[in-house]
Every structure is written in structure tokens, then in C-alpha cells.
């Protein structure tokens, strides 16, 4: 019988590197990322700085890390090394992590994940679509609103205002709405961060932030992918065309770069948004699924 270890609040640098190597190995085998961006970022947070309260479970194998699970709030992600599968490691980790109202993510919703969820009496409760489109060849002129101006994010000035805006815009979102300044600074430290494509819309009269469009561009020349990383609008600014003007700025940024495709994430139940994205040329590539009891 396989026994999962007790959760720990932090990992050593060597353990964090081993988990990343495990995730890369699984991604190569499965064709889809094994762990989300936030889960990977959580690997490096020491216990004293871990305001998110994530917990880590590791299973060692003779060749290194055989399996890993992380509990972040009520969300679980886990990965098993391809050569260590069908030995009960995934089930043992899930049993150790699955308490209370926790849910588990299945990136790509692969058959093995479906079987594991079914064996624990779990059902699909959330679909997060990944939609992709060819890069735009040209971009529309940004819509002009005399009361709204768009400018790039300024490091050292806008951090707290952005976190406040993000919390208002995503008050009901289980992941995005939780972001703290520390979470923002983690992302700002990543190689892909470019403040020139983190667009802020502000009220001309008051300077108050009304919305933001975060564009993410990753990859090497000839393989770069553009992502609508996060579009958030203050609920009190709805109806002022903030989302439209910010999206136009994102498309202008995409058109100016040599990209192979653009992508975004959208909730599978958000039918109006999906219709809008489909009209813009996006198609569903896959779904990441959450399971719960």
C-alpha cells in the first residue's frame, strides 16, 4: 500500500527544483502542463512569507520525486511521474489532501484524471476553457472616451492601486480575486513581465483606476505566444467602454509582435464571453476541469 507524506508548509530549494523537473517531465509525456502558474510560484515561498497558506506533499522515488500535490486554499493540484504511474501514488496523495470542501484540478482533463476522480466519487464542478486564435495582422484603433485614458503600468507607483482594482474587478473569482501585492511582485519578477503591456485605464478627472488589461508574451523568436492574461474592470466603471478600449490596446500589442498564436482562459459557463471570443476568431483548444465530491 502507498502512503502519502504529511503536508509541509514550505519546500527546500532542492525540493522546489525537483518538483519543477517532475512537472516538466509530466508535461512532455501528457502534452499539457501538469501544474498551474500559481502552483509553480507557490513552490518558492518560504513558510513565513506564505500568506496563501499552501501546503506541499511529496513522494520520493529511487530516481527523484515520484509524485507531488499542493493544497492552496480549497484547491488541489497533483502530478505523478510518468514512470511511477499505476502504483497508487496519485490516489494516496489525493486521499491525503482531499478534506472538507476541497476541489482538485485536472489540466486537460485526461482519461487518467477522470478515472482517479471517478474512483473517489467526484464529479465535474467547473470547466476553465483555453481558447486560441491566430495572431491579428492588424488592430482596431482604440475607442476614444474623453473621460478615460489608457497608460502602461508604472513600477514603483501602481502596485497597491492595481491590487485594489483587481480585488474589486474579481471579487467573485476564486483565484484572481485573491491576488496580493506579494503575488503581483512574484509575477513582476518573472522573465515574461513587461510593464509596457500591462495597460491601465484611469479616470481623467480623478486618476482612479477603472480597469486593467494584462498582456503576457512568452517563448522564443518564432514560437512566441501572446496571452490575454487578465482583463479586469471595476464594477462601478461598467458601461464606459473600458473593456473595449483595453482590448483594443492588447490587440495592437499582439499585432506589433511576431506571434504564432494568442490565447486566453475563460470560464466554460460564461456563454456571453465565449460568444464574443468566438466572433473574434477564438476556438476552444481544451478545458481544465475541477472535480469535487
Amino acid at each position: 500500500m502507498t502512503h502519502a507524506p504529511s503536508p509541509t508548509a514550505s519546500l527546500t530549494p532542492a525540493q522546489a527544483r525537483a518538483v519543477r523537473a517532475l512537472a516538466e517531465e509530466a508535461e512532455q509525456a501528457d502534452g499539457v502542463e501538469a501544474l498551474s502558474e500559481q502552483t509553480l510560484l507557490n513552490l518558492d515561498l518560504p513558510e513565513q512569507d506564505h500568506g496563501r497558506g499552501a501546503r506541499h506533499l511529496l513522494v520520493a522515488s529511487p530516481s527523484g520525486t515520484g509524485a507531488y500535490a499542493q493544497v492552496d486554499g480549497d484547491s488541489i493540484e497533483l502530478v505523478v511521474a510518468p514512470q511511477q504511474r499505476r502504483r497508487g501514488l496519485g490516489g494516496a496523495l489525493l486521499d491525503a489532501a482531499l478534506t472538507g470542501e476541497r476541489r482538485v484540478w485536472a489540466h486537460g482533463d485526461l482519461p487518467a484524471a477522470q478515472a482517479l476522480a471517478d474512483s473517489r466519487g467526484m464529479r465535474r464542478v467547473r470547466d476553465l476553457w483555453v481558447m486560441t486564435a491566430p495572431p491579428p495582422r492588424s488592430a482596431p484603433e482604440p475607442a476614444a472616451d474623453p473621460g478615460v485614458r489608457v497608460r502602461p503600468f508604472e513600477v514603483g507607483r501602481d502596485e497597491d492601486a492595481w491590487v485594489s482594482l483587481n480585488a474589486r474587478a474579481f471579487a467573485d473569482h476564486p483565484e484572481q480575486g485573491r491576488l496580493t501585492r506579494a503575488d503581483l511582485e512574484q509575477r513582476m519578477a518573472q522573465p515574461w513581465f513587461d510593464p509596457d503591456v500591462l495597460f491601465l485605464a484611469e479616470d481623467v478627472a480623478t486618476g482612479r483606476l477603472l480597469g486593467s488589461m494584462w498582456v503576457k508574451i512568452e517563448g522564443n523568436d518564432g514560437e512566441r505566444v501572446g496571452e490575454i492574461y487578465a482583463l479586469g474592470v471595476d464594477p462601478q466603471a461598467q458601461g464606459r467602454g473600458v473593456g473595449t478600449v483595453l482590448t483594443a490596446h492588447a490587440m495592437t500589442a499582439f499585432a506589433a509582435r511576431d506571434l504564432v498564436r494568442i490565447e486566453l482562459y475563460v470560464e466554460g459557463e460564461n456563454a456571453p464571453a465565449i460568444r464574443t471570443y468566438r466572433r473574434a476568431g477564438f476556438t476552444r483548444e481544451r478545458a481544465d476541469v475541477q472535480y469535487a465530491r
Side-chain angles (χ1 to χ4, degrees):
M1 178 179 294
T2 300
H3 297 279
S6 299
T8 181
S10 60
L11 299 176
T12 67
Q15 287 173 326
R17 289 193 297 271
V19 171
R20 282 195 175 84
L22 167 62
E24 290 175 1
E25 182 183 7
E27 181 176 354
Q28 291 177 359
D30 299 330
V32 63
E33 63 266 22
L35 301 175
S36 68
E37 177 186 65
Q38 184 61 61
T39 296
L40 292 172
L41 289 173
N42 287 345
L43 297 177
D44 297 321
L45 288 180
E47 182 175 0
Q48 63 269 25
D49 295 334
H50 216 314
R52 303 183 64 88
R55 294 293 182 267
H56 312 273
L57 295 93
L58 282 165
V59 175
S61 72
S63 59
T65 299
Y68 169 79
Q70 184 180 123
V71 179
D72 185 2
D74 65 356
S75 178
I76 302 166
E77 294 192 22
L78 62 87
V79 56
V80 179
Q83 69 274 18
Q84 297 294 329
R85 294 173 181 175
R86 300 184 182 276
R87 301 181 182 182
L89 294 183
L93 281 173
L94 184 57
D95 291 340
L98 193 61
T99 61
E101 300 297 322
R102 289 173 179 165
R103 301 178 174 191
V104 60
W105 277 108
H107 296 286
D109 197 24
L110 301 175
Q114 296 173 10
L116 178 59
D118 185 64
S119 72
R120 266 58 182 179
M122 307 181 79
R123 61 184 179 86
R124 295 167 71 119
V125 294
R126 184 180 172 197
D127 282 28
L128 185 64
W129 287 21
V130 180
M131 301 187 76
T132 62
R137 296 181 180 275
S138 60
E141 287 293 324
D145 182 324
V148 177
R149 65 171 162 247
V150 176
R151 63 173 177 83
F153 181 93
E154 293 185 27
V155 176
R157 169 191 171 188
D158 290 322
E159 287 84 349
D160 289 336
W162 183 90
V163 169
S164 177
L165 165 68
N166 190 72
R168 298 193 303 272
F170 294 99
D172 297 326
H173 195 282
E175 289 93 25
Q176 188 70 22
R178 296 175 59 202
L179 293 187
T180 64
R181 175 158 179 162
D183 293 321
L184 171 62
E185 290 174 346
Q186 268 196 304
R187 286 158 174 77
M188 291 168 60
Q190 301 307 305
W192 54 261
F193 176 71
D194 181 355
D196 288 339
V197 289
L198 172 45
F199 300 104
L200 303 181
E202 62 184 10
D203 187 274
V204 171
T206 66
R208 176 181 171 86
L209 292 188
L210 306 175
S212 75
M213 166 65 83
W214 198 336
V215 168
K216 179 179 180 181
I217 297 174
E218 283 189 295
N220 301 318
D221 290 344
E223 298 180 351
R224 291 195 295 177
V225 175
E227 178 183 343
I228 296 179
Y229 188 58
L231 169 61
V233 177
D234 189 324
Q236 294 185 1
Q238 297 290 345
R240 299 183 63 178
V242 173
T244 299
V245 70
L246 285 170
T247 299
H249 277 77
M251 291 302 172
T252 298
F254 291 143
R257 290 161 171 81
D258 182 21
L259 305 177
V260 294
R261 71 178 185 278
I262 56 177
E263 63 184 27
L264 56 82
Y265 289 78
V266 62
E267 297 292 338
E269 64 182 17
N270 192 344
I274 289 172
R275 284 196 297 270
T276 298
Y277 293 138
R278 279 179 166 156
R279 285 195 297 268
F282 285 87
T283 58
R284 179 184 182 274
E285 180 172 294
R286 73 163 202 269
D288 294 339
V289 176
Q290 257 191 343
Y291 287 92
R293 284 174 173 159

